[in-house]
Amino acid sequence: MNIMQALEAVVRLAKNQLRQNAGSMEQTEVISCAALLPAWEPAIYHAGDVVQQGGQPWKCVQAHDSTRNPDWQPGAAASLWSPYHSKSPAWALDWVQPTGAQDAYQQGEYMVWTDGSLYRCKQDNTVWSPEELPTAWENQEAEK
């Protein structure tokens, strides 16, 4: 076995383990491994399945069959998918507008706002943006 074959085997193993365990892993850990997650495609999904779309990991929150419903993709079907949020500024992802309690930002989670600024959430169950509810967010760029 040459070095390339060995690396390919390690990547395959990591992908398989991530697919099996992502649903129960801490959010930031899943985000840090997002490149190894399968890309979303129309398929049959079970609650707890994790995919990535556009570099953003998403967890299936309701079992569904999207094979005939290609519009049921993460980011478009809020009742089916929930985005991950990071508790580490190093792994902060772009702001995703929450639709309810299932995908609200929690205290200590980070996101990158539309202007590129890094924000930390200051309270649980935040569904409003820094523009709509500035008291719920702390601009980390201002502290530098």
mmCIF file of all heavy atoms in Angstrom, residues 21-71:
data_model
loop_
_atom_site.group_PDB
_atom_site.id
_atom_site.type_symbol
_atom_site.label_atom_id
_atom_site.label_comp_id
_atom_site.label_asym_id
_atom_site.label_seq_id
_atom_site.Cartn_x
_atom_site.Cartn_y
_atom_site.Cartn_z
ATOM 1 N N ASN A 21 -21.705 8.938 13.633
ATOM 2 C CA ASN A 21 -21.719 9.595 14.938
ATOM 3 C C ASN A 21 -22.090 11.068 14.930
ATOM 4 O O ASN A 21 -22.291 11.648 15.994
ATOM 5 C CB ASN A 21 -20.340 9.446 15.597
ATOM 6 C CG ASN A 21 -19.972 8.000 15.802
ATOM 7 O OD1 ASN A 21 -20.783 7.214 16.272
ATOM 8 N ND2 ASN A 21 -18.759 7.625 15.426
ATOM 9 N N ALA A 22 -22.183 11.704 13.777
ATOM 10 C CA ALA A 22 -22.394 13.154 13.717
ATOM 11 C C ALA A 22 -23.647 13.597 14.459
ATOM 12 O O ALA A 22 -23.656 14.646 15.093
ATOM 13 C CB ALA A 22 -22.432 13.632 12.270
ATOM 14 N N GLY A 23 -24.697 12.813 14.395
ATOM 15 C CA GLY A 23 -25.944 13.188 15.051
ATOM 16 C C GLY A 23 -25.841 13.339 16.549
ATOM 17 O O GLY A 23 -26.631 14.050 17.170
ATOM 18 N N SER A 24 -24.854 12.697 17.157
ATOM 19 C CA SER A 24 -24.700 12.782 18.613
ATOM 20 C C SER A 24 -23.456 13.567 19.037
ATOM 21 O O SER A 24 -23.176 13.668 20.223
ATOM 22 C CB SER A 24 -24.645 11.372 19.210
ATOM 23 O OG SER A 24 -23.516 10.678 18.698
ATOM 24 N N MET A 25 -22.736 14.121 18.077
ATOM 25 C CA MET A 25 -21.516 14.877 18.396
ATOM 26 C C MET A 25 -21.849 16.326 18.749
ATOM 27 O O MET A 25 -22.887 16.855 18.368
ATOM 28 C CB MET A 25 -20.565 14.859 17.196
ATOM 29 C CG MET A 25 -19.972 13.490 16.911
ATOM 30 S SD MET A 25 -19.112 13.390 15.305
ATOM 31 C CE MET A 25 -17.879 14.664 15.433
ATOM 32 N N GLU A 26 -20.930 16.978 19.469
ATOM 33 C CA GLU A 26 -21.054 18.395 19.796
ATOM 34 C C GLU A 26 -21.007 19.194 18.492
ATOM 35 O O GLU A 26 -20.287 18.843 17.565
ATOM 36 C CB GLU A 26 -19.901 18.772 20.740
ATOM 37 C CG GLU A 26 -20.105 20.056 21.494
ATOM 38 C CD GLU A 26 -19.652 21.280 20.708
ATOM 39 O OE1 GLU A 26 -18.661 21.208 19.960
ATOM 40 O OE2 GLU A 26 -20.317 22.314 20.842
ATOM 41 N N GLN A 27 -21.779 20.268 18.430
ATOM 42 C CA GLN A 27 -21.935 21.021 17.185
ATOM 43 C C GLN A 27 -20.617 21.524 16.600
ATOM 44 O O GLN A 27 -20.380 21.394 15.398
ATOM 45 C CB GLN A 27 -22.873 22.209 17.403
ATOM 46 C CG GLN A 27 -24.311 21.778 17.649
ATOM 47 C CD GLN A 27 -25.262 22.932 17.537
ATOM 48 O OE1 GLN A 27 -25.523 23.405 16.432
ATOM 49 N NE2 GLN A 27 -25.769 23.390 18.669
ATOM 50 N N THR A 28 -19.769 22.103 17.417
ATOM 51 C CA THR A 28 -18.510 22.650 16.907
ATOM 52 C C THR A 28 -17.631 21.544 16.337
ATOM 53 O O THR A 28 -16.951 21.733 15.327
ATOM 54 C CB THR A 28 -17.761 23.431 18.010
ATOM 55 O OG1 THR A 28 -18.620 24.485 18.475
ATOM 56 C CG2 THR A 28 -16.471 24.031 17.498
ATOM 57 N N GLU A 29 -17.676 20.371 16.946
ATOM 58 C CA GLU A 29 -16.900 19.242 16.442
ATOM 59 C C GLU A 29 -17.388 18.821 15.055
ATOM 60 O O GLU A 29 -16.590 18.533 14.164
ATOM 61 C CB GLU A 29 -16.994 18.070 17.425
ATOM 62 C CG GLU A 29 -16.056 16.944 17.133
ATOM 63 C CD GLU A 29 -16.109 15.855 18.190
ATOM 64 O OE1 GLU A 29 -16.991 15.873 19.074
ATOM 65 O OE2 GLU A 29 -15.245 14.966 18.118
ATOM 66 N N VAL A 30 -18.699 18.822 14.865
ATOM 67 C CA VAL A 30 -19.253 18.484 13.555
ATOM 68 C C VAL A 30 -18.844 19.544 12.533
ATOM 69 O O VAL A 30 -18.432 19.223 11.417
ATOM 70 C CB VAL A 30 -20.790 18.355 13.610
ATOM 71 C CG1 VAL A 30 -21.380 18.189 12.214
ATOM 72 C CG2 VAL A 30 -21.195 17.178 14.495
ATOM 73 N N ILE A 31 -18.932 20.819 12.911
ATOM 74 C CA ILE A 31 -18.549 21.905 12.000
ATOM 75 C C ILE A 31 -17.100 21.756 11.573
ATOM 76 O O ILE A 31 -16.762 21.930 10.400
ATOM 77 C CB ILE A 31 -18.797 23.276 12.662
ATOM 78 C CG1 ILE A 31 -20.302 23.508 12.841
ATOM 79 C CG2 ILE A 31 -18.163 24.397 11.843
ATOM 80 C CD1 ILE A 31 -20.644 24.687 13.736
ATOM 81 N N SER A 32 -16.235 21.399 12.510
ATOM 82 C CA SER A 32 -14.810 21.274 12.188
ATOM 83 C C SER A 32 -14.536 20.138 11.198
ATOM 84 O O SER A 32 -13.498 20.112 10.559
ATOM 85 C CB SER A 32 -13.976 21.087 13.458
ATOM 86 O OG SER A 32 -14.174 19.803 14.012
ATOM 87 N N CYS A 33 -15.478 19.217 11.074
ATOM 88 C CA CYS A 33 -15.325 18.079 10.158
ATOM 89 C C CYS A 33 -16.272 18.168 8.966
ATOM 90 O O CYS A 33 -16.451 17.179 8.237
ATOM 91 C CB CYS A 33 -15.609 16.776 10.912
ATOM 92 S SG CYS A 33 -14.516 16.434 12.274
ATOM 93 N N ALA A 34 -16.879 19.314 8.743
ATOM 94 C CA ALA A 34 -17.924 19.449 7.728
ATOM 95 C C ALA A 34 -17.485 18.995 6.342
ATOM 96 O O ALA A 34 -18.291 18.462 5.577
ATOM 97 C CB ALA A 34 -18.428 20.890 7.672
ATOM 98 N N ALA A 35 -16.224 19.176 6.015
ATOM 99 C CA ALA A 35 -15.745 18.768 4.684
ATOM 100 C C ALA A 35 -15.856 17.263 4.462
ATOM 101 O O ALA A 35 -15.866 16.803 3.321
ATOM 102 C CB ALA A 35 -14.303 19.216 4.486
ATOM 103 N N LEU A 36 -15.953 16.497 5.535
ATOM 104 C CA LEU A 36 -16.067 15.042 5.426
ATOM 105 C C LEU A 36 -17.518 14.557 5.374
ATOM 106 O O LEU A 36 -17.776 13.382 5.131
ATOM 107 C CB LEU A 36 -15.360 14.367 6.601
ATOM 108 C CG LEU A 36 -13.859 14.582 6.699
ATOM 109 C CD1 LEU A 36 -13.319 13.982 7.988
ATOM 110 C CD2 LEU A 36 -13.152 13.984 5.488
ATOM 111 N N LEU A 37 -18.461 15.470 5.609
ATOM 112 C CA LEU A 37 -19.872 15.091 5.588
ATOM 113 C C LEU A 37 -20.346 14.915 4.151
ATOM 114 O O LEU A 37 -19.859 15.591 3.240
ATOM 115 C CB LEU A 37 -20.722 16.168 6.257
ATOM 116 C CG LEU A 37 -20.568 16.306 7.758
ATOM 117 C CD1 LEU A 37 -21.249 17.578 8.251
ATOM 118 C CD2 LEU A 37 -21.126 15.088 8.478
ATOM 119 N N PRO A 38 -21.322 14.042 3.953
ATOM 120 C CA PRO A 38 -21.860 13.909 2.596
ATOM 121 C C PRO A 38 -22.609 15.181 2.204
ATOM 122 O O PRO A 38 -23.244 15.822 3.042
ATOM 123 C CB PRO A 38 -22.821 12.720 2.710
ATOM 124 C CG PRO A 38 -23.181 12.639 4.147
ATOM 125 C CD PRO A 38 -21.997 13.157 4.914
ATOM 126 N N ALA A 39 -22.516 15.542 0.946
ATOM 127 C CA ALA A 39 -23.269 16.685 0.434
ATOM 128 C C ALA A 39 -24.741 16.312 0.353
ATOM 129 O O ALA A 39 -25.086 15.160 0.069
ATOM 130 C CB ALA A 39 -22.746 17.083 -0.942
ATOM 131 N N TRP A 40 -25.615 17.291 0.618
ATOM 132 C CA TRP A 40 -27.037 17.030 0.513
ATOM 133 C C TRP A 40 -27.395 16.715 -0.931
ATOM 134 O O TRP A 40 -26.866 17.308 -1.873
ATOM 135 C CB TRP A 40 -27.861 18.238 0.968
ATOM 136 C CG TRP A 40 -29.330 17.954 0.842
ATOM 137 C CD1 TRP A 40 -30.118 17.354 1.768
ATOM 138 C CD2 TRP A 40 -30.168 18.213 -0.295
ATOM 139 N NE1 TRP A 40 -31.398 17.208 1.281
ATOM 140 C CE2 TRP A 40 -31.451 17.733 0.009
ATOM 141 C CE3 TRP A 40 -29.957 18.782 -1.539
ATOM 142 C CZ2 TRP A 40 -32.521 17.823 -0.862
ATOM 143 C CZ3 TRP A 40 -31.026 18.864 -2.430
ATOM 144 C CH2 TRP A 40 -32.291 18.400 -2.078
ATOM 145 N N GLU A 41 -28.279 15.765 -1.080
ATOM 146 C CA GLU A 41 -28.880 15.451 -2.369
ATOM 147 C C GLU A 41 -30.257 14.875 -2.078
ATOM 148 O O GLU A 41 -30.499 14.379 -0.969
ATOM 149 C CB GLU A 41 -28.023 14.456 -3.158
ATOM 150 C CG GLU A 41 -27.811 13.132 -2.456
ATOM 151 C CD GLU A 41 -26.851 12.213 -3.224
ATOM 152 O OE1 GLU A 41 -26.222 12.666 -4.185
ATOM 153 O OE2 GLU A 41 -26.769 11.049 -2.851
ATOM 154 N N PRO A 42 -31.178 14.965 -3.006
ATOM 155 C CA PRO A 42 -32.493 14.378 -2.757
ATOM 156 C C PRO A 42 -32.348 12.896 -2.398
ATOM 157 O O PRO A 42 -31.719 12.139 -3.133
ATOM 158 C CB PRO A 42 -33.225 14.568 -4.086
ATOM 159 C CG PRO A 42 -32.549 15.743 -4.726
ATOM 160 C CD PRO A 42 -31.106 15.609 -4.315
ATOM 161 N N ALA A 43 -32.923 12.513 -1.267
ATOM 162 C CA ALA A 43 -32.797 11.136 -0.778
ATOM 163 C C ALA A 43 -33.801 10.924 0.354
ATOM 164 O O ALA A 43 -34.545 11.827 0.719
ATOM 165 C CB ALA A 43 -31.375 10.880 -0.280
ATOM 166 N N ILE A 44 -33.760 9.742 0.934
ATOM 167 C CA ILE A 44 -34.550 9.441 2.126
ATOM 168 C C ILE A 44 -33.670 9.754 3.327
ATOM 169 O O ILE A 44 -32.548 9.238 3.431
ATOM 170 C CB ILE A 44 -35.000 7.971 2.138
ATOM 171 C CG1 ILE A 44 -35.945 7.706 0.962
ATOM 172 C CG2 ILE A 44 -35.671 7.630 3.467
ATOM 173 C CD1 ILE A 44 -36.306 6.248 0.768
ATOM 174 N N TYR A 45 -34.165 10.619 4.208
ATOM 175 C CA TYR A 45 -33.408 11.019 5.388
ATOM 176 C C TYR A 45 -34.175 10.643 6.649
ATOM 177 O O TYR A 45 -35.405 10.658 6.678
ATOM 178 C CB TYR A 45 -33.147 12.526 5.375
ATOM 179 C CG TYR A 45 -32.165 12.938 4.297
ATOM 180 C CD1 TYR A 45 -32.601 13.449 3.084
ATOM 181 C CD2 TYR A 45 -30.801 12.780 4.491
ATOM 182 C CE1 TYR A 45 -31.701 13.809 2.094
ATOM 183 C CE2 TYR A 45 -29.882 13.128 3.501
ATOM 184 C CZ TYR A 45 -30.343 13.641 2.303
ATOM 185 O OH TYR A 45 -29.451 13.987 1.339
ATOM 186 N N HIS A 46 -33.402 10.327 7.682
ATOM 187 C CA HIS A 46 -33.954 9.998 8.991
ATOM 188 C C HIS A 46 -33.552 11.086 9.961
ATOM 189 O O HIS A 46 -32.490 11.710 9.799
ATOM 190 C CB HIS A 46 -33.423 8.641 9.468
ATOM 191 C CG HIS A 46 -33.750 7.540 8.512
ATOM 192 N ND1 HIS A 46 -32.904 7.153 7.501
ATOM 193 C CD2 HIS A 46 -34.858 6.763 8.401
ATOM 194 C CE1 HIS A 46 -33.454 6.187 6.805
ATOM 195 N NE2 HIS A 46 -34.641 5.921 7.321
ATOM 196 N N ALA A 47 -34.370 11.300 10.985
ATOM 197 C CA ALA A 47 -34.030 12.291 12.007
ATOM 198 C C ALA A 47 -32.657 11.944 12.579
ATOM 199 O O ALA A 47 -32.394 10.786 12.913
ATOM 200 C CB ALA A 47 -35.082 12.305 13.106
ATOM 201 N N GLY A 48 -31.780 12.935 12.643
ATOM 202 C CA GLY A 48 -30.425 12.727 13.138
ATOM 203 C C GLY A 48 -29.376 12.626 12.050
ATOM 204 O O GLY A 48 -28.191 12.756 12.316
ATOM 205 N N ASP A 49 -29.797 12.387 10.799
ATOM 206 C CA ASP A 49 -28.833 12.375 9.694
ATOM 207 C C ASP A 49 -28.210 13.757 9.564
ATOM 208 O O ASP A 49 -28.881 14.773 9.785
ATOM 209 C CB ASP A 49 -29.510 12.004 8.373
ATOM 210 C CG ASP A 49 -29.912 10.541 8.279
ATOM 211 O OD1 ASP A 49 -29.460 9.742 9.133
ATOM 212 O OD2 ASP A 49 -30.668 10.202 7.353
ATOM 213 N N VAL A 50 -26.946 13.801 9.200
ATOM 214 C CA VAL A 50 -26.236 15.077 9.052
ATOM 215 C C VAL A 50 -25.612 15.140 7.666
ATOM 216 O O VAL A 50 -24.963 14.187 7.226
ATOM 217 C CB VAL A 50 -25.151 15.242 10.145
ATOM 218 C CG1 VAL A 50 -24.420 16.572 9.991
ATOM 219 C CG2 VAL A 50 -25.757 15.130 11.540
ATOM 220 N N VAL A 51 -25.831 16.257 6.997
ATOM 221 C CA VAL A 51 -25.265 16.506 5.670
ATOM 222 C C VAL A 51 -24.658 17.897 5.673
ATOM 223 O O VAL A 51 -24.817 18.654 6.625
ATOM 224 C CB VAL A 51 -26.337 16.406 4.559
ATOM 225 C CG1 VAL A 51 -26.944 15.013 4.511
ATOM 226 C CG2 VAL A 51 -27.411 17.470 4.730
ATOM 227 N N GLN A 52 -23.980 18.224 4.574
ATOM 228 C CA GLN A 52 -23.508 19.591 4.437
ATOM 229 C C GLN A 52 -23.990 20.143 3.112
ATOM 230 O O GLN A 52 -24.166 19.418 2.145
ATOM 231 C CB GLN A 52 -21.990 19.693 4.593
ATOM 232 C CG GLN A 52 -21.169 18.979 3.554
ATOM 233 C CD GLN A 52 -20.819 19.838 2.346
ATOM 234 O OE1 GLN A 52 -20.977 21.051 2.342
ATOM 235 N NE2 GLN A 52 -20.360 19.189 1.298
ATOM 236 N N GLN A 53 -24.245 21.430 3.145
ATOM 237 C CA GLN A 53 -24.631 22.141 1.929
ATOM 238 C C GLN A 53 -23.950 23.501 1.977
ATOM 239 O O GLN A 53 -24.118 24.254 2.933
ATOM 240 C CB GLN A 53 -26.149 22.313 1.863
ATOM 241 C CG GLN A 53 -26.573 23.151 0.702
ATOM 242 C CD GLN A 53 -27.704 22.535 -0.079
ATOM 243 O OE1 GLN A 53 -27.924 21.344 -0.048
ATOM 244 N NE2 GLN A 53 -28.408 23.358 -0.809
ATOM 245 N N GLY A 54 -23.120 23.771 0.993
ATOM 246 C CA GLY A 54 -22.410 25.041 0.944
ATOM 247 C C GLY A 54 -21.460 25.241 2.112
ATOM 248 O O GLY A 54 -21.263 26.372 2.551
ATOM 249 N N GLY A 55 -20.899 24.147 2.629
ATOM 250 C CA GLY A 55 -19.975 24.244 3.759
ATOM 251 C C GLY A 55 -20.657 24.311 5.111
ATOM 252 O O GLY A 55 -19.998 24.298 6.149
ATOM 253 N N GLN A 56 -21.968 24.370 5.144
ATOM 254 C CA GLN A 56 -22.753 24.440 6.384
ATOM 255 C C GLN A 56 -23.308 23.052 6.697
ATOM 256 O O GLN A 56 -23.989 22.471 5.873
ATOM 257 C CB GLN A 56 -23.906 25.430 6.200
ATOM 258 C CG GLN A 56 -24.998 25.364 7.254
ATOM 259 C CD GLN A 56 -24.597 25.981 8.568
ATOM 260 O OE1 GLN A 56 -24.095 27.093 8.620
ATOM 261 N NE2 GLN A 56 -24.799 25.259 9.643
ATOM 262 N N PRO A 57 -22.997 22.508 7.879
ATOM 263 C CA PRO A 57 -23.626 21.237 8.259
ATOM 264 C C PRO A 57 -25.077 21.457 8.707
ATOM 265 O O PRO A 57 -25.391 22.464 9.330
ATOM 266 C CB PRO A 57 -22.784 20.730 9.426
ATOM 267 C CG PRO A 57 -21.787 21.771 9.728
ATOM 268 C CD PRO A 57 -21.992 22.929 8.826
ATOM 269 N N TRP A 58 -25.912 20.504 8.380
ATOM 270 C CA TRP A 58 -27.340 20.542 8.719
ATOM 271 C C TRP A 58 -27.741 19.190 9.289
ATOM 272 O O TRP A 58 -27.344 18.157 8.770
ATOM 273 C CB TRP A 58 -28.184 20.813 7.481
ATOM 274 C CG TRP A 58 -27.932 22.139 6.849
ATOM 275 C CD1 TRP A 58 -26.926 22.448 5.971
ATOM 276 C CD2 TRP A 58 -28.668 23.330 7.039
ATOM 277 N NE1 TRP A 58 -27.022 23.763 5.611
ATOM 278 C CE2 TRP A 58 -28.081 24.338 6.244
ATOM 279 C CE3 TRP A 58 -29.792 23.656 7.807
ATOM 280 C CZ2 TRP A 58 -28.563 25.632 6.192
ATOM 281 C CZ3 TRP A 58 -30.275 24.949 7.750
ATOM 282 C CH2 TRP A 58 -29.674 25.923 6.954
ATOM 283 N N LYS A 59 -28.569 19.228 10.317
ATOM 284 C CA LYS A 59 -29.094 17.991 10.919
ATOM 285 C C LYS A 59 -30.556 17.833 10.523
ATOM 286 O O LYS A 59 -31.342 18.779 10.615
ATOM 287 C CB LYS A 59 -28.992 18.052 12.443
ATOM 288 C CG LYS A 59 -29.471 16.771 13.131
ATOM 289 C CD LYS A 59 -29.487 16.920 14.633
ATOM 290 C CE LYS A 59 -28.340 16.161 15.220
ATOM 291 N NZ LYS A 59 -28.373 16.144 16.698
ATOM 292 N N CYS A 60 -30.896 16.625 10.091
ATOM 293 C CA CYS A 60 -32.282 16.318 9.766
ATOM 294 C C CYS A 60 -33.062 16.233 11.075
ATOM 295 O O CYS A 60 -32.691 15.479 11.977
ATOM 296 C CB CYS A 60 -32.365 14.996 9.008
ATOM 297 S SG CYS A 60 -34.050 14.501 8.614
ATOM 298 N N VAL A 61 -34.138 17.018 11.188
ATOM 299 C CA VAL A 61 -34.937 17.020 12.411
ATOM 300 C C VAL A 61 -36.279 16.324 12.232
ATOM 301 O O VAL A 61 -37.003 16.123 13.202
ATOM 302 C CB VAL A 61 -35.139 18.458 12.953
ATOM 303 C CG1 VAL A 61 -33.816 19.041 13.422
ATOM 304 C CG2 VAL A 61 -35.780 19.364 11.922
ATOM 305 N N GLN A 62 -36.583 15.973 10.980
ATOM 306 C CA GLN A 62 -37.823 15.246 10.708
ATOM 307 C C GLN A 62 -37.574 14.314 9.530
ATOM 308 O O GLN A 62 -37.119 14.747 8.461
ATOM 309 C CB GLN A 62 -38.949 16.232 10.374
ATOM 310 C CG GLN A 62 -40.264 15.575 10.097
ATOM 311 C CD GLN A 62 -41.360 16.604 9.821
ATOM 312 O OE1 GLN A 62 -41.265 17.747 10.207
ATOM 313 N NE2 GLN A 62 -42.391 16.170 9.130
ATOM 314 N N ALA A 63 -37.830 13.035 9.731
ATOM 315 C CA ALA A 63 -37.639 12.057 8.657
ATOM 316 C C ALA A 63 -38.475 12.458 7.445
ATOM 317 O O ALA A 63 -39.600 12.956 7.584
ATOM 318 C CB ALA A 63 -38.037 10.668 9.143
ATOM 319 N N HIS A 64 -37.881 12.279 6.262
ATOM 320 C CA HIS A 64 -38.592 12.640 5.038
ATOM 321 C C HIS A 64 -37.931 11.997 3.820
ATOM 322 O O HIS A 64 -36.805 11.523 3.890
ATOM 323 C CB HIS A 64 -38.636 14.166 4.865
ATOM 324 C CG HIS A 64 -37.275 14.783 4.691
ATOM 325 N ND1 HIS A 64 -36.434 15.036 5.752
ATOM 326 C CD2 HIS A 64 -36.619 15.188 3.580
ATOM 327 C CE1 HIS A 64 -35.312 15.581 5.301
ATOM 328 N NE2 HIS A 64 -35.394 15.681 3.975
ATOM 329 N N ASP A 65 -38.654 12.012 2.734
ATOM 330 C CA ASP A 65 -38.157 11.511 1.454
ATOM 331 C C ASP A 65 -38.164 12.683 0.477
ATOM 332 O O ASP A 65 -39.220 13.145 0.057
ATOM 333 C CB ASP A 65 -39.065 10.384 0.959
ATOM 334 C CG ASP A 65 -38.611 9.797 -0.373
ATOM 335 O OD1 ASP A 65 -37.709 10.364 -1.015
ATOM 336 O OD2 ASP A 65 -39.185 8.765 -0.772
ATOM 337 N N SER A 66 -36.990 13.169 0.137
ATOM 338 C CA SER A 66 -36.901 14.326 -0.762
ATOM 339 C C SER A 66 -36.573 13.913 -2.198
ATOM 340 O O SER A 66 -36.278 14.776 -3.025
ATOM 341 C CB SER A 66 -35.857 15.325 -0.253
ATOM 342 O OG SER A 66 -34.583 14.723 -0.204
ATOM 343 N N THR A 67 -36.656 12.614 -2.500
ATOM 344 C CA THR A 67 -36.308 12.168 -3.851
ATOM 345 C C THR A 67 -37.217 12.790 -4.910
ATOM 346 O O THR A 67 -36.772 13.035 -6.030
ATOM 347 C CB THR A 67 -36.347 10.628 -3.975
ATOM 348 O OG1 THR A 67 -37.634 10.160 -3.549
ATOM 349 C CG2 THR A 67 -35.254 9.990 -3.137
ATOM 350 N N ARG A 68 -38.454 13.057 -4.555
ATOM 351 C CA ARG A 68 -39.377 13.708 -5.490
ATOM 352 C C ARG A 68 -39.644 15.161 -5.104
ATOM 353 O O ARG A 68 -40.507 15.812 -5.680
ATOM 354 C CB ARG A 68 -40.690 12.944 -5.548
ATOM 355 C CG ARG A 68 -40.508 11.579 -6.141
ATOM 356 C CD ARG A 68 -41.806 10.906 -6.369
ATOM 357 N NE ARG A 68 -41.557 9.564 -6.887
ATOM 358 C CZ ARG A 68 -42.461 8.630 -6.929
ATOM 359 N NH1 ARG A 68 -43.671 8.852 -6.495
ATOM 360 N NH2 ARG A 68 -42.147 7.450 -7.411
ATOM 361 N N ASN A 69 -38.906 15.622 -4.107
ATOM 362 C CA ASN A 69 -39.075 16.984 -3.611
ATOM 363 C C ASN A 69 -37.720 17.658 -3.466
ATOM 364 O O ASN A 69 -37.253 17.901 -2.359
ATOM 365 C CB ASN A 69 -39.795 16.955 -2.254
ATOM 366 C CG ASN A 69 -41.171 16.348 -2.358
ATOM 367 O OD1 ASN A 69 -42.058 16.925 -2.965
ATOM 368 N ND2 ASN A 69 -41.340 15.160 -1.785
ATOM 369 N N PRO A 70 -37.074 17.987 -4.570
ATOM 370 C CA PRO A 70 -35.734 18.557 -4.493
ATOM 371 C C PRO A 70 -35.685 19.920 -3.807
ATOM 372 O O PRO A 70 -34.603 20.395 -3.463
ATOM 373 C CB PRO A 70 -35.291 18.649 -5.952
ATOM 374 C CG PRO A 70 -36.546 18.628 -6.746
ATOM 375 C CD PRO A 70 -37.539 17.832 -5.951
ATOM 376 N N ASP A 71 -36.838 20.535 -3.566
ATOM 377 C CA ASP A 71 -36.867 21.813 -2.852
ATOM 378 C C ASP A 71 -36.771 21.630 -1.341
ATOM 379 O O ASP A 71 -36.648 22.605 -0.610
ATOM 380 C CB ASP A 71 -38.143 22.591 -3.190
ATOM 381 C CG ASP A 71 -38.185 23.033 -4.638
ATOM 382 O OD1 ASP A 71 -37.100 23.167 -5.249
ATOM 383 O OD2 ASP A 71 -39.291 23.240 -5.156
#
